[in-house]
Amino acid sequence: MTAENEAPDPHAQSAHPVTGLDDVVHQRVRLGILTIAHEARRVEFGYLRTQLELTAGNLSKHLSVLEAAGLVEVEKGYAGKRGRTWITLTAAGSTALAEEIGRLKLLINRVETTDTLEDR
């Protein structure tokens, strides 16, 4: 960051970290889906719906976006006579989540290392 009369820092990144956030991943619900899927090897649709406090239709739409982007795999099957849907994070999903977390850490670091108004 530079003031009007200061020369730009040649070592500063050219783009703000927010420009690298992925709109598919960064959306609140989809970030939650990816995070839960990362924590579990395989997660059941109903568990996601409960944890994220979503309707089935809303969760389905978000899963469709993530599946189309290749970030999750959706598997339909049966547990006994009941239909079940399981979600698994793909390698691309794991990478996308890690990159998103990295960008968020950069943003947090910028905020934490910036002087507060009282310190200026």
Side-chain angles (χ1 to χ4, degrees), residues 16-33:
H16 193 278
V18 77
T19 62
L21 293 176
D22 182 334
D23 290 337
V24 171
V25 175
H26 191 73
Q27 196 281 339
R28 179 184 65 83
V29 171
R30 293 191 290 265
L31 186 58
I33 292 167

Side-chain angles (χ1 to χ4, degrees), residues 75-110:
E75 175 190 351
K76 295 185 183 270
Y78 289 90
K81 293 183 179 185
R82 297 191 63 183
R84 297 277 191 227
T85 301
W86 293 276
I87 293 83
T88 307
L89 189 65
T90 64
S94 184
T95 299
L97 178 61
E99 289 174 358
E100 192 73 8
I101 297 300
R103 288 289 179 173
L104 291 171
K105 286 179 180 178
L106 288 173
L107 287 169
I108 291 167
N109 185 51
R110 286 177 74 127

Side-chain angles (χ1 to χ4, degrees), residues 31-45 47-48 51 71-73 85-91 93-94 97:
L31 186 58
I33 292 167
L34 294 173
T35 302
I36 292 170
H38 175 76
E39 295 168 348
R41 186 175 148 258
R42 188 174 177 217
V43 62
E44 204 267 327
F45 182 92
Y47 180 80
L48 280 175
Q51 290 297 304
L71 304 181
V72 298
E73 289 180 353
T85 301
W86 293 276
I87 293 83
T88 307
L89 189 65
T90 64
S94 184
L97 178 61

